[in-house]
Amino acid sequence: MKLPILSFLVFFPIAGMVILLFIDRKNHKMLKEATLAISLVEFVVSLPLWFWFDGKTAAMQFVERYNWLPQYGISYYVGVDGFSLLLILLTTFLTPLCVLATWTDIQHRVKEFMICLLGLIAGMIGVFVALDLFLFYVFWEVMLIPMYLLIGVWGNPARRVYAAIKFFLFTMFGSLLMLVAILVLYFHYGKTTGTYTFDLLKMYGLSIPFNMQFWMFLAFGLAFAIKVPMFPFHTWLPDAHTEAPTVGSVILAAVLLKMGTYGFLRFNMPLFPQAAHYFVPLFSILALIGIVYGALVCMMQKDLKRLIAFSSVSHLGFVMLGLFTYTMAGVQGGIIQMINHGLSTGALFFIVGMIYERRHTRMIADFGGLSTPMPIYATIFMIVSLSSIGLPGLNGFIGEFLILLGAFKANMVYATIAATGVIFAACYMLWMFQRVMFGKVENEKNRTLKDLSPREIAIFAPLILFIVWIGVYPNTFLDKTKATTENFIAMMEKVKAPQVSFYQVIKGEAK
Amino acid sequence: MMMDYVWLIPVFPLIGFLINGLFGKKLSKNTVGIIGSAVIGLSFLVTVKIFFEFLNLPPGVKAVEKTVFTWISSGNFTAQAAFLIDPLSLVMLGVVTGVSFLIHIYSVGYMHDDPGFYRYFAYLNLFVFSMLILVSANNFLLMFVGWEGVGLCSYLLIGFWYEKQSASDAGKKAFVVNRIGDFGFLLGIFLIFWTFNTINFREVFDLAAKYPIGSGVITAITLLLFVGAIGKSAQIPLYVWLPDAMEGPTPVSALIHAATMVTAGVYMVARCSALYVLAPFSLTVVAVVGALTAIFAATMGMAQNDIKRVLAYSTVSQLGYMFLACGVGAFVSGIFHLMTHAFFKALLFLGSGSVIHGMHGEQDMRHMGNLKKYMPITYWTFMLATLAIAGIFPFAGFFSKDEILFYSLVDGHLLYWGIATVAACITAFYMFRAVFMTFYGEERFDHHHVHPHEAPMTMAVPLMILAGLSVVGGLVGFPIIEGAHKFKEFLKPSIAPLHAEVHHAMSFEIIMMIFSMTVAAVGIYIAYKCYIKTPELPEKITEKFPTTYDYVYNKYYVDELYDATVVEPIKSGSDFLWKGVDDKVVDGAVNGSAGMVAWLSAHLRKLETGFVQNYALAILIGVVLITGYLIGR
């Protein structure tokens, strides 16, 4: 009998929410322990996905399918392939660490916080496993609410409402257009084949006129581009990151942003391949702007969280650039880079969170010389920073290198511009590190700071393990994505972009 | 199998790094020092063993490759974690492990009172690991791992005393400037892969041989790689980080910023000789950059008062020589000079470290003088190294530098030779200036506070061993006599020749030698005149040419120029992007549209008055307008 692992992963956190309801709201410790236990079970259950996943086939695995609303062709249809596997594992892997990070950080409305957190996990895993467009959309929207609450309720009191609403509206704006596009796709499929279904894999083979692909690509693309976020739709991110509680920032950076890049891989490109080729220049250039612009703006930030937020814009620009190369190296590098960004930026937000807990400030100028009172913290911070700037031997390099290698084949100029991002990354990270960690302790409050506790070290140890693992032996992970990527590339190579101008498409002349 | 254990060479230092890094805080200083040094010693022994095994290989086998595991594979791209053992990598392995071992031992004494002792040894071990990867990798990407790894360690060690602002600034500067070079290197790797579909050295070189001389793509590849070398080996225009790197502990300057890391660029160019000989234009660029750097840095070395800075500019200048050699196709001479330079320059730095140690941290030569009385071992060893760098027969530097001068004339251009000769004269001058200011003349230090003393044995013994190497190290490359240049014979399989070997008349070679000795002697004499005989002379000269002196003394204001033309514009540009573009335009559009909705709803709300009369009026107006429209149509 096949075990319904995916359903368990989606619904167990929801069951966990129910369990939490019965725990005394004043008993913070028990609430946290229960959540930790739930997240650990979730993680352990997700491990068979890794071990039983067959990296040699591009087919969906661990598939489960039940009718939901058969009269509309809606089914509960979930599965995993090389694109989603690592992202699901990243999510289940990070959740226990996030719970650990709340131990002393979250002190009020703990019960609600944990419920939101579990709801968020369920929604995110749902997004990554859904193979039915309707189901996908449900999860996509579901996950929005707990994140909105995390920012709005547990955020930084000064601007949390502004940031939460901004996050919500931006995402809603994109997803509404996507909903329209999903419906158009549904009816188009029904009209051409006679059966009405939301089954994603069936739609992959559908031939859609270019004119329609063009608009559909943009409608889906906008929703995902906002999530990534791509320039110029990124301005919700610095606000959301800055105001969110530590765990919110970690999940936002590590997993939520990946839904955007994943969306391009899973929906935009295979559904609308002609348009996907057509839009390569536009999206590559936006990605390049993201890389360079994100890095430059990053350099000038005074707030640690904003700095990391802008660095995400730059890193995710690399991912997008890689995906749009439609080369093995570029796409595999893009996927690895999604994981890398999740690990290193997640770790960076933990790092900032821990110092914020101690000092209640995130301003770079308030620190300086922290290496002296906090040597362990300094070491971990250094390793994570180096991972983020792509030092060979650590994970970031593998992603960036493969992406640039792929990009170089696709377009030398793109690769050259993107590679300057590597220089700027060194500038902003090392400068930030210097201002925070080096120098003499000037501020008396910093002199007596406590170094990391064993609990805090326990959060970083597994992160650093993977930071090194991916850097030294990336094949463990590349192998899992290989077959799916090969299949994807083959699919993309079959079509070409039509030679029409933007203007012709808008006038409806392109067929 | 033979040589299967080659991976041990880098792994020993890695183990040292892990032990010292993770547990060093709990270990005693002696244990840390012993572990740190022993792992390097072990690497050295393995290297020696492999060297002898290599000599015993059947003739015809020129290189051995050992794959440990496949590092990255994606599509048709693969990068192996694999080693290439050939004469060139063996020379480098020998130099790196040997000199590192001595410097580690020296460090035990030098760093003894530093609270960051274990951290220091952890970084130093990590450095040696990276450097060994760099020189023994069998492909471009793994080399790049070592390449960036040594850059990281350089960053960590320059900024070792991180509480000092200038130290952490210097570390950051080194890393960023190196990254600019690495950017070129990385693009070079991409171009190599998409041209040859492999990044394995030997496969690339074999495939490249089919390309015509001067082909565009090979020229592009070699130029991009050279950008990496310019950064790592501190050549014009990216040399600016090296003088600042002297903020690090002195043994670090000796190991990283003189003997090993900075020579990585020369090694890389020599390693890629098969590509460079196909790109005459690139070779010219290499030679010109090398020659210009050699003389430019030498002039800056003349006016420095900090003993370490003199040596730093001297290093930049000597690296220029090595590139000049490569640029005229004399790759072997470049590597030869790399090796002898590793001996004598490491010795000079360690000697200066001994002086600084004995002078309680004083680095300004104006506050020294007559130290030979107090530290004879340091003095004698420093003197031998100075003779070597000045190119005096029969010290090590004489042979290698003379070879470079020789080939820059016969295979290069009269101009190269002229520049190199003048630079040689300046080198002799500033080095003897340093010797005279430090060890001779009046005692210009404060006797109440400074009590100069000789270095302890852990420091003195490495000095003496290096002194021995600086004296005899050049003999492996004995010129003139056929077959006596063992070094060249040994390296032959690794280096692609620019052209068939030409035999030059013995008398010509000897005349050249005598001439270069004369040049060195002139430099020494001027230094003697200025700093021993008539100590007031330098001041008079500087008074006579105040502007020139000012430029030289301030290093031609290059740092200031870079600040004004690169750093500041990027900073202010970024600030504008943030505050002007991101906040105002991009986010302004977002907040603006939100504001517009708010404004609209605020006004539209007023229509909802709740008075039936108002609604009736609105209906009436509507009816009238619509009817009017229908009629008027």
Side-chain angles (χ1 to χ4, degrees):
Chain A
M1 202 200 107
K2 268 201 333 192
L3 297 169
I5 299 179
L6 296 182
S7 295
F8 182 88
L9 291 179
V10 173
F11 293 106
F12 183 65
I14 297 176
M17 291 160 76
V18 177
I19 297 172
L20 290 189
L21 285 177
F22 293 100
I23 297 177
D24 179 12
R25 61 185 309 104
K26 290 200 188 83
N27 194 344
H28 290 180
K29 191 149 182 282
M30 191 171 171
L31 282 163
K32 284 170 182 167
E33 280 168 355
T35 319
L36 182 63
I38 292 163
S39 61
L40 283 173
V41 171
E42 178 91 351
F43 175 61
V44 170
V45 173
S46 70
L47 286 178
L49 289 186
W50 173 263
F51 293 108
W52 297 346
F53 183 86
D54 180 5
K56 290 184 188 63
T57 165
M60 285 293 166
Q61 304 179 33
F62 306 97
V63 173
E64 291 171 51
R65 180 168 208 165
Y66 312 100
N67 277 337
W68 184 9
L69 297 167
Q71 60 274 43
Y72 301 113
I74 298 172
S75 54
Y76 173 85
Y77 181 23
V78 293
V80 174
D81 68 355
F83 289 163
S84 50
L85 175 74
L86 296 178
L87 289 168
I88 295 167
L89 289 165
L90 178 71
T91 313
T92 59
F93 165 74
L94 280 175
T95 317
L97 304 182
C98 284
V99 179
L100 268 182
T102 63
W103 227 250
T104 50
D105 188 22
I106 301 299
Q107 295 295 357
H108 74 286
R109 296 178 195 268
V110 176
K111 189 167 179 173
E112 290 82 354
F113 186 92
M114 295 301 159
I115 289 176
C116 277
L117 189 61
L118 290 177
L120 191 58
I121 304 307
M124 291 189 303
I125 294 190
V127 165
F128 290 131
V129 297
L131 295 177
D132 181 282
L133 279 167
F134 188 85
L135 185 69
F136 166 76
Y137 192 78
V138 170
F139 284 128
W140 178 268
E141 294 291 299
V142 158
M143 144 229 105
L144 196 56
I145 298 157
M147 194 68 222
Y148 169 76
L149 293 174
L150 281 187
I151 300 173
V153 177
W154 290 273
N156 193 16
R159 290 177 80 228
R160 62 188 175 198
V161 176
Y162 170 76
I165 292 179
K166 198 172 183 181
F167 164 76
F168 196 86
L169 286 182
F170 253 97
T171 317
M172 274 307 279
F173 179 67
S175 18
L176 280 179
L177 278 177
M178 182 166 71
L179 180 63
V180 174
I182 288 175
L183 290 175
V184 172
L185 198 61
Y186 172 73
F187 285 113
H188 178 77
Y189 185 85
K191 248 188 270 169
T192 29
T193 63
T195 45
Y196 284 84
T197 177
F198 282 98
D199 184 331
L200 176 68
L201 298 188
K202 280 198 183 132
M203 296 205 182
Y204 276 0
L206 184 63
S207 81
I208 305 172
F210 176 70
N211 195 26
M212 195 169 158
Q213 285 199 18
F214 180 94
W215 294 109
M216 305 278 276
F217 189 94
L218 285 181
F220 272 84
L222 183 65
F224 298 137
I226 288 173
K227 211 88 282 146
V228 170
M230 294 192 85
F231 179 88
F233 308 112
H234 64 277
T235 58
W236 64 271
L237 185 75
D239 284 317
H241 267 323
T242 317
E243 308 312 325
T246 301
V247 169
S249 298
V250 171
I251 294 184
L252 194 58
V255 187
L256 241 73
L257 303 188
K258 308 304 153 10
M259 297 188 171
T261 45
Y262 170 79
F264 277 97
L265 265 183
R266 174 68 78 225
F267 299 96
N268 270 39
M269 291 166 177
L271 282 175
F272 320 115
Q274 274 186 306
H277 278 288
Y278 185 77
F279 279 117
V280 166
L282 176 68
F283 279 80
S284 299
I285 288 168
L286 287 181
L288 288 177
I289 295 177
I291 292 171
V292 177
Y293 174 95
L296 289 176
V297 173
C298 206
M299 224 173 324
M300 305 316 294
Q301 297 306 310
K302 298 174 170 61
D303 178 320
L304 281 170
K305 271 189 153 183
R306 278 192 105 79
L307 190 150
I308 302 167
F310 276 108
S311 82
S312 290
V313 175
S314 188
H315 285 290
L316 270 295
F318 272 105
V319 177
M320 292 306 292
L321 183 71
L323 301 187
F324 272 92
T325 60
Y326 308 130
T327 59
M328 273 306 278
V331 175
Q332 279 197 298
I335 297 168
I336 281 288
Q337 188 67 358
M338 289 186 213
I339 306 300
N340 291 340
H341 178 261
L343 294 170
S344 51
T345 307
L348 280 174
F349 277 119
F350 280 132
I351 283 169
V352 176
M354 285 170 195
I355 200 69
Y356 183 79
E357 243 185 89
R358 287 165 169 74
R359 285 280 280 105
H360 297 286
T361 172
R362 297 180 313 260
M363 290 299 155
I364 294 173
D366 289 337
F367 300 112
L370 296 194
S371 287
T372 310
M374 306 178 76
I376 300 175
Y377 181 79
T379 309
I380 291 172
F381 196 175
M382 176 52 86
I383 295 172
V384 174
S385 301
L386 292 172
S387 137
S388 178
I389 64 180
L391 188 87
L394 301 179
N395 60 349
F397 177 70
I398 305 295
E400 282 176 5
F401 176 78
L402 287 175
I403 289 169
L404 290 173
L405 185 72
F408 196 86
K409 190 188 183 191
N411 189 322
M412 275 189 215
V413 180
Y414 292 169
T416 310
I417 296 173
T420 61
V422 177
I423 302 176
F424 293 130
C427 296
Y428 66 72
M429 281 310 282
L430 294 184
W431 193 28
M432 181 265 278
F433 193 86
Q434 181 192 24
R435 284 177 292 167
V436 174
M437 304 307 293
F438 292 157
K440 285 203 172 63
V441 180
E442 304 271 334
N443 191 324
E444 280 308 314
K445 285 182 196 152
N446 293 334
R447 201 176 297 282
T448 51
L449 284 177
K450 277 210 173 64
D451 208 349
L452 298 187
S453 68
R455 172 184 62 86
E456 289 170 320
I457 296 174
I459 294 175
F460 290 115
L463 287 169
I464 289 177
L465 171 73
F466 282 100
I467 283 175
V468 176
W469 187 343
I470 298 179
V472 175
Y473 198 70
N475 279 342
T476 321
F477 307 92
L478 291 173
D479 284 347
K480 297 278 182 191
T481 63
K482 194 171 161 220
T484 310
T485 312
E486 273 168 358
N487 184 48
F488 171 77
I489 305 282
M491 192 157 68
M492 294 308 292
E493 273 172 356
K494 267 186 248 157
V495 291
K496 268 205 211 121
Q499 299 287 325
V500 289
S501 70
F502 252 41
Y503 183 66
Q504 283 170 305
V505 184
I506 291 165
K507 275 176 69 185
E509 285 170 5
K511 286 289 166 258
Chain B
M1 253 315 272
M2 272 167 91
M3 300 188 197
D4 266 348
Y5 49 87
V6 60
W7 54 271
L8 283 172
I9 297 178
V11 163
F12 279 127
L14 184 65
I15 293 172
F17 161 69
L18 291 175
I19 295 176
N20 281 336
L22 292 174
F23 313 111
K25 207 173 181 181
K26 296 185 186 85
L27 300 174
S28 74
K29 280 192 176 172
N30 274 337
T31 323
V32 168
I34 288 170
I35 291 173
S37 310
V39 289
I40 311 296
L42 288 170
S43 291
F44 178 68
L45 292 178
V46 177
T47 307
V48 171
K49 183 150 169 30
I50 289 197
F51 175 76
F52 284 110
E53 281 181 20
F54 188 83
L55 291 182
N56 289 332
L57 283 179
V61 181
K62 293 171 188 165
V64 179
E65 287 189 45
K66 292 285 172 199
T67 305
V68 184
F69 62 92
T70 299
W71 177 34
I72 305 177
S73 77
S74 171
N76 59 347
F77 176 83
T78 30
Q80 307 279 354
F83 300 102
L84 170 63
I85 309 154
D86 75 341
L88 181 57
S89 60
L90 278 171
V91 167
M92 293 303 290
L93 286 172
V95 170
V96 172
T97 51
V99 175
S100 299
F101 180 59
L102 295 174
I103 292 177
H104 273 71
I105 291 182
Y106 177 94
S107 298
V108 175
Y110 190 85
M111 297 298 286
H112 200 265
D113 301 323
D114 198 284
F117 193 77
Y118 76 96
R119 196 162 52 92
Y120 174 85
F121 273 91
Y123 291 165
L124 215 54
N125 282 174
L126 183 64
F127 167 76
V128 178
F129 164 74
S130 309
M131 190 69 206
L132 292 172
I133 293 285
L134 195 165
V135 298
S136 61
N138 85 334
N139 64 70
F140 283 97
L141 197 62
L142 190 63
M143 185 192 211
F144 188 71
V145 174
W147 189 270
E148 285 244 306
V150 291
L152 164 72
C153 299
S154 162
Y155 162 77
L156 293 171
L157 284 161
I158 294 170
F160 181 73
W161 290 308
Y162 57 81
E163 292 196 332
K164 226 166 113 193
Q165 179 71 24
S166 55
S168 66
D169 276 345
K172 188 183 61 189
K173 183 173 175 184
F175 198 94
V176 170
V177 173
N178 266 295
R179 270 253 156 152
I180 298 173
D182 296 354
F183 161 80
F185 195 143
L186 200 58
L187 292 179
I189 297 177
F190 296 145
L191 195 53
I192 287 169
F193 180 72
W194 293 119
T195 308
F196 303 111
N197 272 311
T198 172
I199 50 164
N200 177 296
F201 285 138
R202 297 206 298 161
E203 286 168 27
V204 168
F205 301 152
D206 287 348
L207 291 167
K210 297 186 187 97
Y211 282 71
I213 288 182
S215 97
V217 66
I218 306 274
T219 306
I221 288 172
T222 45
L223 285 178
L224 285 170
L225 293 178
F226 187 56
V227 172
I230 286 177
K232 187 88 5 192
S233 296
Q235 297 294 292
I236 292 172
L238 297 181
Y239 69 89
V240 286
W241 64 271
L242 187 59
D244 289 8
M246 298 302 131
E247 290 287 343
T250 306
V252 168
S253 312
L255 178 59
I256 302 185
H257 305 117
T260 55
M261 182 186 85
V262 288
T263 62
V266 182
Y267 164 73
M268 191 260 285
V269 172
R271 170 61 74 203
C272 300
S273 56
L275 296 177
Y276 279 91
V277 293
L278 296 174
F281 177 72
S282 305
L283 278 180
T284 310
V285 171
V286 173
V288 169
V289 168
L292 288 181
T293 309
I295 187 137
F296 185 67
T299 59
M300 286 189 279
M302 288 195 296
Q304 300 299 316
N305 290 319
D306 181 321
I307 185 166
K308 282 183 72 182
R309 292 218 166 220
V310 174
L311 296 177
Y313 282 107
S314 158
T315 305
V316 175
S317 168
Q318 297 299 309
L319 290 165
Y321 273 102
M322 298 175 208
F323 280 112
L324 173 60
C326 294
V328 297
F331 299 100
V332 173
S333 312
I335 295 293
F336 187 25
H337 197 53
L338 184 162
M339 183 178 82
T340 59
H341 177 258
F343 300 149
F344 62 67
K345 189 50 74 58
L347 175 53
L348 287 171
F349 266 113
L350 294 186
S352 77
S354 170
V355 168
I356 295 165
H357 189 78
M359 294 288 290
H360 311 288
E362 181 62 70
Q363 303 197 9
D364 193 328
M365 295 188 296
R366 285 170 299 189
H367 302 147
M368 295 177 185
N370 200 24
L371 292 182
K372 75 175 171 74
K373 187 174 116 193
Y374 301 97
M375 25 185 104
I377 300 176
T378 306
Y379 163 67
W380 276 109
T381 51
F382 198 91
M383 192 65 186
L384 291 175
T386 307
L387 288 167
I389 191 176
I392 302 297
F393 182 84
F395 298 98
F398 166 78
F399 295 99
S400 54
K401 188 185 271 185
D402 185 64
E403 233 180 82
I404 294 176
L405 288 173
F406 180 78
Y407 283 111
S408 67
L409 182 63
V410 298
D411 285 342
H413 196 279
L414 192 62
L415 210 56
Y416 295 158
W417 177 78
I419 291 175
T421 307
V422 175
C425 178
I426 299 175
T427 306
F429 168 76
Y430 67 67
M431 279 316 302
F432 272 89
R433 169 178 175 265
V435 169
F436 293 145
M437 283 180 82
T438 311
F439 294 103
Y440 287 82
E442 293 169 41
E443 297 177 7
R444 294 181 300 273
F445 46 86
D446 179 358
H447 283 274
H448 296 291
H449 296 102
V450 182
H451 309 283
H453 56 85
E454 184 55 279
M457 280 323 270
T458 47
M459 289 164 67
V461 171
L463 289 181
M464 291 187 275
I465 297 174
L466 282 170
L469 288 168
S470 301
V471 175
V472 301
L475 297 176
V476 293
F478 201 85
I480 306 171
I481 303 165
E482 186 80 54
H485 202 312
K486 293 269 184 269
F487 195 73
K488 191 187 275 174
E489 297 300 317
F490 180 65
L491 271 186
K492 227 173 213 167
S494 296
I495 302 288
L498 187 57
H499 51 65
E501 203 158 330
V502 184
H503 218 78
H504 299 282
M506 195 200 281
S507 55
F508 176 57
E509 286 192 39
I510 292 174
I511 289 171
M512 289 283 294
M513 279 180 190
I514 293 171
F515 184 77
S516 70
M517 284 270 283
T518 318
V519 166
V522 169
I524 297 171
Y525 177 73
I526 298 173
Y528 172 73
K529 184 102 180 143
C530 288
Y531 293 92
I532 299 281
K533 217 153 170 225
T534 41
E536 64 282 357
L537 196 60
E539 214 160 298
K540 276 189 195 154
I541 298 173
T542 53
E543 273 165 19
K544 212 161 184 188
F545 306 100
T547 342
T548 321
Y549 179 75
D550 185 58
Y551 267 90
V552 175
Y553 182 74
N554 288 298
K555 303 157 275 177
Y556 303 100
Y557 294 101
V558 174
D559 276 318
E560 288 77 3
L561 180 77
Y562 285 179
D563 246 12
T565 55
V566 182
V567 181
E568 286 309 319
I570 287 184
K571 273 192 188 168
S572 51
S574 307
D575 207 46
F576 169 75
L577 281 182
W578 172 34
K579 290 179 180 146
V581 178
D582 210 65
D583 267 9
K584 296 238 164 66
V585 180
V586 184
D587 212 29
V590 173
N591 288 330
S593 48
M596 207 155 78
V597 173
W599 180 85
L600 263 179
S601 54
H603 284 78
L604 289 175
R605 193 179 57 186
K606 290 178 186 155
L607 296 177
E608 305 262 328
T609 55
F611 294 111
V612 180
Q613 297 95 311
N614 287 5
Y615 296 155
L617 182 67
I619 292 169
L620 186 68
I621 293 172
V623 169
V624 169
L625 282 179
I626 291 168
T627 326
Y629 172 74
L630 288 176
I631 293 168
R633 193 164 61 134

